[in-house]
Amino acid sequence: DEETYRQDPALSYSTLARFERTGFTELNHLFDKIETPSLTFGSAVDAIITGDEEEFNSRFIVADVPDISDSLIKIVKLLFQRYKDEYTSLSQIPDNILAEAGKECNFYAGDKYENYRIKLIKEECKEYYDLMFISDNKTILSTTEYRDIQLTVEALKNSESTRYYFESDSPFDPNIERLYQLKFKMTHNNINYRIMADLLITHHEEKLIIPVDLKTSSHAEWEFYKSFFDWRYDLQSRLYWRVIRDNMDRDPYFKNFKLADYRFVVVNRKSLTPLVWECPFTSTTGSLYIGKLHQYEFRDPYEIGEELNYYLENKPRVPKEIYELGTNNLSKWLNTL
């Protein structure tokens, strides 16, 4: 199940990508849980598309929530996480705690705004805090969000470009089999990796498996390459492909199947024009160099994994190739920029 999967200590794509974005300095926050409205929306769409209504209802609750900003939602979730066992209502929480929570979330963070910060949190967040108490640990969605989620799911299932991926398997055609949210593990150089694939479409007669990942993107569908760059989906496609291929190679039935390049099914909640993007370098190894002048390096997942594993196991005070004693060469590091 997904909870067991999330608790497994093996390295995942999201961990590798966060480490590659934030580096050695943020190692202490590498496994911090991140919640944003965009991630919540994507998770809700995933729950319906790759799961079912039952899974959606077990994880989410739709309510007439107050229309408050993303910043205030972040604050109220932080307060609830920390103080739900102590305070059953936001009105019970002392002003100094409210002030610190708002400041921590960079909400009118200046000292001169403290009274205003407290006032807004008290007025705007009370109802949301109460809803969190009755939601039974489910994620709260507004009716507006739920409407957008339904429209997004309908677009994916009905669009000419994407409906094939999410059709129900035909009982009259056992050749094609769609399987969602399969979990796999593998070990490379004594380092464990884990993945959860959104969708694998198996063509049994053709001996072909098509790996698919669903993305709800903040960019328009035709600009998905920008999200691909920002979120380092190259790491996802290459790591997922290797882990799936490794498991196939060790299976007596699937070892003779071909594993296709990764495909990303992309949808934006506003434009609702689902598109499919294929990653032609899915099975490549080593660093990739992209951009007009090939100026951006996309390091190999295994290279990042080995570096991160070294830091997690040894917990050094400074990054590799930085000398705590002696001198460090500025030219060497300036040339890495």
Side-chain angles (χ1 to χ4, degrees), residues 219-234:
H219 286 107
E221 295 89 346
W222 47 89
E223 293 183 329
F224 174 66
Y225 60 91
K226 296 179 180 178
S227 292
F228 190 93
F229 179 90
D230 292 340
W231 297 103
R232 292 299 307 272
Y233 292 143
D234 61 292

Side-chain angles (χ1 to χ4, degrees), residues 113-129:
Y113 298 115
E114 181 167 317
N115 291 334
Y116 184 63
R117 187 190 322 143
I118 295 169
K119 178 176 180 292
L120 283 180
I121 293 172
K122 280 184 171 181
E123 292 176 353
E124 304 289 336
C125 295
K126 181 184 183 303
E127 189 176 346
Y128 202 103
Y129 190 93

Side-chain angles (χ1 to χ4, degrees), residues 16-78:
L16 295 182
R18 192 188 296 190
F19 171 65
E20 190 70 341
R21 288 195 307 271
T22 61
F24 178 87
T25 305
E26 294 297 317
L27 271 177
N28 289 337
H29 300 287
L30 187 64
F31 299 101
D32 289 358
K33 187 176 181 180
I34 297 177
E35 287 189 20
T36 67
S38 295
L39 287 175
T40 299
F41 184 88
S43 295
V45 172
D46 278 350
I48 298 175
I49 288 284
T50 66
D52 51 31
E53 287 289 342
E54 184 179 349
E55 179 183 338
F56 175 85
N57 291 330
S58 71
R59 295 173 52 194
F60 299 92
I61 182 171
V62 181
D64 288 322
V65 297
D67 185 17
I68 61 176
S69 68
D70 292 346
S71 298
L72 286 168
I73 290 175
K74 183 178 179 181
I75 292 168
V76 74
K77 285 184 175 181
L78 182 149

Side-chain angles (χ1 to χ4, degrees), residues 159-189:
S159 167
E160 198 68 36
S161 63
T162 58
R163 68 184 180 191
Y164 159 78
Y165 294 93
F166 307 112
E167 287 176 348
S168 298
D169 291 342
S170 170
F172 307 106
D173 184 10
N175 172 48
I176 298 179
E177 183 181 20
R178 295 170 178 82
L179 294 169
Y180 295 97
Q181 303 286 26
L182 296 185
K183 292 88 172 169
F184 298 97
K185 287 181 72 171
M186 71 166 285
T187 301
H188 177 78
N189 280 356

Side-chain angles (χ1 to χ4, degrees), residues 207-256:
K207 294 187 180 297
L208 172 69
I209 295 178
I210 301 172
V212 181
D213 196 81
L214 173 61
K215 298 294 184 192
T216 50
S217 178
S218 57
H219 286 107
E221 295 89 346
W222 47 89
E223 293 183 329
F224 174 66
Y225 60 91
K226 296 179 180 178
S227 292
F228 190 93
F229 179 90
D230 292 340
W231 297 103
R232 292 299 307 272
Y233 292 143
D234 61 292
L235 289 174
Q236 182 179 20
S237 60
R238 294 208 282 170
L239 179 65
Y240 277 37
W241 193 93
R242 292 177 194 182
V243 176
I244 296 168
R245 182 72 261 177
D246 176 81
N247 281 268
M248 290 169 62
D249 290 343
R250 292 184 284 110
D251 185 88
Y253 178 69
F254 288 110
K255 66 182 181 181
N256 296 317

Side-chain angles (χ1 to χ4, degrees), residues 226-334:
K226 296 179 180 178
S227 292
F228 190 93
F229 179 90
D230 292 340
W231 297 103
R232 292 299 307 272
Y233 292 143
D234 61 292
L235 289 174
Q236 182 179 20
S237 60
R238 294 208 282 170
L239 179 65
Y240 277 37
W241 193 93
R242 292 177 194 182
V243 176
I244 296 168
R245 182 72 261 177
D246 176 81
N247 281 268
M248 290 169 62
D249 290 343
R250 292 184 284 110
D251 185 88
Y253 178 69
F254 288 110
K255 66 182 181 181
N256 296 317
F257 279 54
K258 177 184 176 182
L259 181 60
D261 286 334
Y262 238 95
R263 298 183 189 180
F264 292 90
V265 173
V266 184
V267 65
N268 174 283
R269 67 192 290 182
K270 294 180 180 178
S271 47
L272 294 176
T273 311
L275 296 176
V276 181
W277 293 76
E278 187 170 348
C279 183
F281 46 79
T282 301
S283 60
T284 60
T285 58
S287 289
L288 301 171
Y289 294 89
I290 66 162
K292 292 179 181 178
L293 303 175
H294 302 288
Q295 70 272 37
Y296 300 108
E297 180 184 10
F298 281 177
R299 293 200 296 160
D300 189 272
Y302 288 161
E303 180 183 352
I304 298 169
E306 289 177 14
E307 181 180 339
L308 176 56
N309 185 68
Y310 168 81
Y311 289 141
L312 294 176
E313 286 190 347
N314 296 283
K315 303 189 185 320
R317 287 161 49 90
V318 296
K320 294 175 73 173
E321 298 187 47
I322 291 288
Y323 303 109
E324 192 171 2
L325 302 176
T327 60
N328 293 279
N329 189 315
L330 270 172
S331 293
K332 171 185 173 180
W333 289 98
L334 288 169

